[in-house]
Amino acid sequence: MEAKKNILTYAGLKKLEAELEDLTVNQRKAIAKKIQEAREQGDLSENAEYDAAKDEQRDIEARIEEIQTILKNAEIVDESEAATDKINIGCKVKLYDMEYDEELEYSIVGSTEANSLQGKISNESPVGKALIGAKVGDIVEAETPSDVIKFKVLSIERNI
């Protein structure tokens, strides 16, 4: 079975590479030092610091493996080449929410980079799927688990 492609913007790629660098260079050394210090305290069977440090080490190694897998299967979208005639990954869109009478702005990204608090929605989310391919002036309906949301596309620009 072929691994799922992880769609990333160039900025998302750089962020993951920086996190991987920090984890492998800095965090590994710091946790090794914590483990060594906990070992020096003696009996490991009742040493909470040792157990906590080993748990942290496990989490760091798991995250390193996760990032390496993401990067190995990454497909990079060049935001500077994103078309602005229709919505696609790498675009920033301004929408009018017809129900709540408000303007919203989202960046369309791959699922790996999605972060609703930063206005980054995945192309795989219900809203993201509905927006892909839409043009300025289109009315788009996104079916969410709780409701159907209607948006009017106000503008599309490159997310750079």
Side-chain angles (χ1 to χ4, degrees):
M1 188 171 131
E2 190 176 322
K4 177 186 172 224
K5 283 285 181 202
N6 296 300
I7 299 173
L8 293 171
T9 60
Y10 187 72
L13 172 69
K14 290 298 170 201
K15 185 177 176 185
L16 279 175
E17 288 174 341
E19 182 182 355
L20 182 60
E21 172 87 6
D22 179 56
L23 288 169
T24 56
V25 174
N26 302 321
Q27 300 298 323
R28 273 184 174 161
K29 285 180 185 173
I31 198 64
K33 186 176 181 193
K34 283 184 187 178
I35 291 170
Q36 182 60 36
E37 289 170 357
R39 277 190 177 134
E40 291 170 359
Q41 293 176 10
D43 185 11
L44 297 181
S45 63
E46 295 183 19
N47 188 328
E49 287 89 8
Y50 178 78
D51 290 340
K54 290 300 279 184
D55 287 344
E56 190 177 343
Q57 181 184 41
R58 217 174 356 267
D59 292 344
I60 288 170
E61 293 304 322
R63 181 63 180 154
I64 288 170
E65 188 175 325
E66 179 184 16
I67 292 172
Q68 288 172 334
T69 300
I70 290 168
L71 294 176
K72 186 173 84 176
N73 297 307
E75 183 177 312
I76 310 307
V77 173
D78 187 350
E79 296 159 296
S80 66
E81 294 178 4
T84 56
D85 60 332
K86 63 182 182 177
I87 298 173
N88 209 336
I89 296 169
C91 291
K92 183 183 285 186
V93 296
K94 193 174 284 186
L95 307 170
Y96 173 71
D97 184 324
M98 299 174 86
E99 181 179 350
Y100 291 104
D101 189 32
E102 64 181 347
E103 284 188 15
L104 305 167
E105 195 168 274
Y106 293 117
S107 293
I108 311 297
V109 297
S111 60
T112 306
E113 290 179 77
N115 183 332
S116 60
L117 298 176
Q118 295 176 354
K120 296 178 178 182
I121 60 172
S122 166
N123 64 313
E124 297 175 12
S125 70
V127 173
K129 276 184 189 175
L131 291 173
I132 297 291
K135 298 177 180 177
V136 173
D138 286 357
I139 304 291
V140 177
E141 291 186 8
E143 192 170 328
T144 66
S146 61
D147 205 359
V148 174
I149 307 168
K150 285 186 180 182
F151 298 105
K152 181 173 183 174
V153 180
L154 301 176
S155 68
I156 305 169
E157 56 188 64
R158 289 185 179 101
N159 193 23
I160 51 173

